Amino acid sequence: MAKLGFVVVAIYIFIALLTPILIDWGLLPNSQEGLNNPIFSSPSLSHWCGTDRLGRDVCVRTLEASGVALQVVFLAVTLAVLIGLPLGMLSGYLGGFLDRCLVLLMDTLYTIPVILLSVVMAFVLGRGILNAAVALCVVYIPQYFRVVRNQTTQVKSELYIEAAVSMGAGPLWILRKYLLKNVITSVPVLLTMNAADAVLVLGGLGFLGLGLPESIPEWGSDLNMALVAMPTGIWWTALYPGVAMFGLVIGLSLIGEGIEDLISDQR
């Protein structure tokens, strides 16, 4: 499953890197220059996936949205790991007042539905790639915090940790030297699962008009625009962005499932 997932995600990365080059070379039409194209043109040799209500090429816009989705998701999960992992380790190892405050904060965030929290954060931060990534990041920080904290509280009672403390090792040394390598094994699985979920949440924000500006290709906003056209038989404006989103989610999910099975076998 992991191999298949890596192949799928690699295809998306390849598309994301190649599409801007092909546009610059004039081999693909610019998705923002659709004023001279007919609106709602059905798929044809000139427009493989048809055009949308603004005359933009659906195929090119869907391909460009792949790169945008990968950027936002990569930033979101990376920020979540960089914030959630050290906070979870510090909270689990030090305990006390800091632990109680962080647990209360993270549990509060965790109880809020993902889409609701992301909508609130997106509304507060505004629209944009970085803002969307930060909004998604806040959603996933509690998950890393809870997993890492629980593992840290279990590992810190091991005899070799107590021996290191008795020999004068400080908290930062123990966290970096002994605890990090024990708690980081669960991060890859959680990261890929969150990445798959982030694709859907980003699409949901775009569908609600809270994700990225309309000028930036994004699957969710394209599906929102296609909602009005669907009842009139204009299916292509919704089909291709939906299939593209579905494919990336499946690829990331397969990677997560494969890594989880691999870790379980090693144990």
Side-chain angles (χ1 to χ4, degrees):
M1 288 190 297
K3 291 179 180 179
L4 178 59
F6 276 116
V7 169
V8 173
V9 175
I11 291 173
Y12 276 84
I13 295 175
F14 178 75
I15 289 173
L17 296 175
L18 186 62
T19 300
I21 298 175
L22 295 179
I23 291 176
D24 291 340
W25 288 354
L27 300 178
L28 289 175
N30 192 319
S31 65
Q32 305 305 318
E33 297 176 356
L35 298 179
N36 297 324
N37 296 330
I39 62 173
F40 290 138
S41 174
S42 60
S44 61
L45 291 178
S46 56
H47 299 287
W48 295 349
C49 299
T51 61
D52 62 10
R53 65 181 180 133
L54 299 178
R56 297 174 302 193
D57 189 275
V58 174
C59 177
V60 177
R61 188 169 173 86
T62 302
L63 294 177
E64 287 185 292
S66 301
V68 175
L70 290 172
Q71 288 182 54
V72 175
V73 169
F74 176 79
L75 286 173
V77 296
T78 301
L79 290 174
V81 171
L82 293 178
I83 297 173
L85 190 147
L87 285 181
M89 291 178 62
L90 286 173
S91 180
Y93 182 75
L94 298 178
F97 179 74
L98 174 65
D99 180 49
R100 291 193 296 271
C101 291
L102 288 175
V103 168
L104 178 61
L105 174 62
M106 295 301 171
D107 285 350
T108 302
L109 292 175
Y110 193 75
T111 57
I112 303 175
V114 171
I115 189 64
L116 179 59
L117 180 58
S118 61
V119 166
V120 172
M121 292 302 302
F123 181 79
V124 171
L125 297 173
R127 304 174 71 178
I129 291 180
L130 182 59
N131 292 344
V134 173
L136 295 177
C137 163
V138 174
V139 171
Y140 299 115
I141 286 176
Q143 298 184 26
Y144 292 98
F145 173 85
R146 289 161 62 94
V147 171
V148 171
R149 177 188 175 275
N150 291 339
Q151 291 186 340
T152 302
T153 55
Q154 295 174 4
V155 175
K156 76 174 184 179
S157 60
E158 296 289 341
L159 292 178
Y160 64 88
I161 300 293
E162 296 179 359
V165 173
S166 65
M167 294 177 64
L172 292 180
W173 171 264
I174 293 175
L175 289 173
R176 181 175 62 87
K177 186 70 175 179
Y178 298 110
L179 292 177
L180 180 60
K181 65 181 180 182
N182 286 284
V183 303
I184 204 171
T185 55
S186 61
V187 171
V189 177
L190 190 58
L191 187 147
T192 50
M193 292 301 183
N194 284 344
D197 186 66
V199 175
L200 295 175
V201 177
L202 177 63
L205 291 177
F207 188 81
L208 296 173
L210 296 173
L212 305 176
E214 189 174 323
S215 59
I216 299 178
E218 199 274 315
W219 295 321
S221 60
D222 287 349
L223 290 174
N224 176 272
M225 289 191 297
L227 187 64
V228 179
M230 281 290 292
T232 62
I234 302 174
W235 50 268
W236 55 87
T237 56
L239 175 64
Y240 298 106
V243 170
M245 184 188 301
F246 176 78
L248 183 56
V249 171
I250 291 297
L252 292 169
S253 300
L254 288 175
I255 293 176
E257 293 290 344
I259 294 176
E260 185 175 17
D261 290 343
L262 180 61
I263 293 175
S264 299
D265 292 341
Q266 290 178 346
R267 290 175 181 172

